[in-house]
Amino acid sequence: MQTFLKIGIFALIALAGYTLFANFAIPQVRPAPPPAEEETIGAMGMDQYIALGRKIFEGKGTCTLCHNPVLAGRAPSLTQMHATSEQRLNDPRYKGKAKTGEEYLRESMMEPSTFVVAGFGKAGTNDTESPMPQINGPAVGLKPAEINAVIAFLQTKDGGKATVPLPTGADAAPAPAAGAAEAAPAPAKTPEEALGKYACGACHKIGAFAGAVGPDLTKIGSKRDEAYLRRAILDPNADIATGFPAGVMPQDFGNKMTAKELEMLIKYLKAQKG
Ligand code: HEC
Ligand code: HEC
């Protein structure tokens, strides 16, 4: 009986001890409630903004169509852009309005011909005209808050500091919904829409677009038949237009386009007779 009581008292003391220990010595971890939706959009942090910039750079912005290691001879490498952007301001050829690296990056995207990196100009223009599309123009159509996100990405990806303001209120870029699956882009309803969706106009002169990396397509219909056009889109390296480089036009349209989009584009191109 005595032993039983002793064990009981010991157990009580031990239990009290553990309870105290648990309450005072171990920090109480309680999962934070998930933030409300408006809170995440209104309070997008710089890290999130930079991540959005990377997403735009690699996707919607079409930047990696040209700025990629395979095409290093056609579009300049954008590594160390935080340092390069400031050096450009002191280049004797620089005649633009930018006063800071951030302004240079914005100007490079919105008015690419203001300063053309030596050796990368449109053929025959002696580096006075850039083949890069205006990123806020019809071919790509980024909004100011999206352009700032790309600037933040370019500034920080090689160790620089982001200097752009975070988006506020009406101009806020859409916050990537946490965990939400990316919706597949809707099929284009018109050939013009398809040209935009697949960024054909970033590289070609066609419709409202003035791309200059690939051949002018405004008279293509009088030169090529439908079979050629189909092959040119699905297997661009099968025939290489004279005077243009192989391997620049994306090779994966066959996997991305719906059959209807493809046929619409072929008919549209066939009708382009200048
Ligand atoms: C159709 C091809 C093409 C696309 C698409 C393109 N660029 Fe360019 N970009 C170029 C070429 C060519 C140059 C060099 C000529 C010049 O200075 O404008 C250039 C120059 C630049 C420069 C200046 C580089 C320097 O060293 O001073 C920046 C910055 C830049 N691009 C960013 C972008 C971003 C960001 C995007 C996407 C939002 C983009 N580009 C999309 C072709 C392209
Ligand atoms: C990143 C730049 C780029 C993009 C984006 C691009 N192209 Fe091209 N395209 C080229 C280049 C460069 C050539 C010339 C080399 C060759 O024939 O592959 C070309 C060739 C062509 C030709 C053959 C022209 C001829 O005279 O033989 C057609 C047609 C064409 N592209 C249509 C398209 C369509 C339609 C799209 C969008 C769905 C598109 N391209 C997107 C760069 C591009």
Side-chain angles (χ1 to χ4, degrees), residues 12-124:
L12 266 178
I13 291 169
L15 188 68
Y18 278 125
T19 312
L20 279 174
F21 184 73
N23 275 318
F24 295 113
I26 301 176
Q28 295 291 290
V29 185
R30 206 176 295 155
E37 193 71 38
E38 313 83 78
E39 236 174 288
T40 41
I41 294 174
M44 185 189 277
M46 191 48 87
D47 286 351
Q48 256 182 303
Y49 202 37
I50 291 167
L52 178 67
R54 171 190 291 274
K55 213 167 127 198
I56 295 170
F57 186 81
E58 291 168 353
K60 179 179 178 186
T62 72
C63 318
T64 49
L65 280 181
C66 298
H67 294 285
N68 70 55
V70 178
L71 300 188
R74 304 242 108 212
S77 149
L78 300 183
T79 52
Q80 303 301 325
M81 212 51 230
H82 65 292
T84 308
S85 58
E86 278 156 28
Q87 285 156 17
R88 296 292 185 219
L89 305 174
N90 301 321
D91 189 304
R93 284 173 57 241
Y94 183 72
K95 300 278 185 291
K97 295 196 199 79
K99 298 275 179 285
T100 63
E102 176 190 325
E103 287 168 8
Y104 175 79
L105 290 173
R106 190 172 295 111
E107 190 178 69
S108 293
M109 283 188 253
M110 296 173 60
E111 297 165 44
S113 294
T114 301
F115 177 84
V116 179
V117 181
F120 289 101
K122 265 192 212 177

Side-chain angles (χ1 to χ4, degrees), residues 70-253:
V70 178
L71 300 188
R74 304 242 108 212
S77 149
L78 300 183
T79 52
Q80 303 301 325
M81 212 51 230
H82 65 292
T84 308
S85 58
E86 278 156 28
Q87 285 156 17
R88 296 292 185 219
L89 305 174
N90 301 321
D91 189 304
R93 284 173 57 241
Y94 183 72
K95 300 278 185 291
K97 295 196 199 79
K99 298 275 179 285
T100 63
E102 176 190 325
E103 287 168 8
Y104 175 79
L105 290 173
R106 190 172 295 111
E107 190 178 69
S108 293
M109 283 188 253
M110 296 173 60
E111 297 165 44
S113 294
T114 301
F115 177 84
V116 179
V117 181
F120 289 101
K122 265 192 212 177
T125 69
N126 195 20
D127 290 339
T128 56
E129 274 179 55
S130 174
M132 175 164 151
Q134 272 178 277
I135 292 306
N136 55 331
V140 185
L142 294 191
K143 297 188 193 74
E146 293 174 316
I147 291 177
N148 275 354
V150 174
I151 293 174
F153 166 63
L154 288 177
Q155 287 182 315
T156 54
K157 75 184 178 59
D158 305 298
K161 221 172 151 280
T163 59
V164 295
L166 285 169
T168 51
D171 72 354
E182 194 126 3
K189 289 190 200 72
T190 62
E192 288 84 0
E193 223 179 273
L195 293 173
K197 179 178 172 190
Y198 294 106
C200 315
C203 295
H204 292 287
K205 183 166 182 340
I206 178 79
F209 308 114
V213 169
D216 179 337
L217 298 179
T218 54
K219 298 188 184 74
I220 188 83
S222 49
K223 286 185 281 189
R224 310 288 195 191
D225 62 17
E226 296 200 359
Y228 179 95
L229 294 172
R230 180 172 294 108
R231 197 165 60 236
I233 297 172
L234 296 180
D235 186 9
N237 288 345
D239 311 276
I240 305 299
T242 334
F244 290 92
V248 173
M249 177 147 156
Q251 317 278 301
D252 56 356
F253 287 134

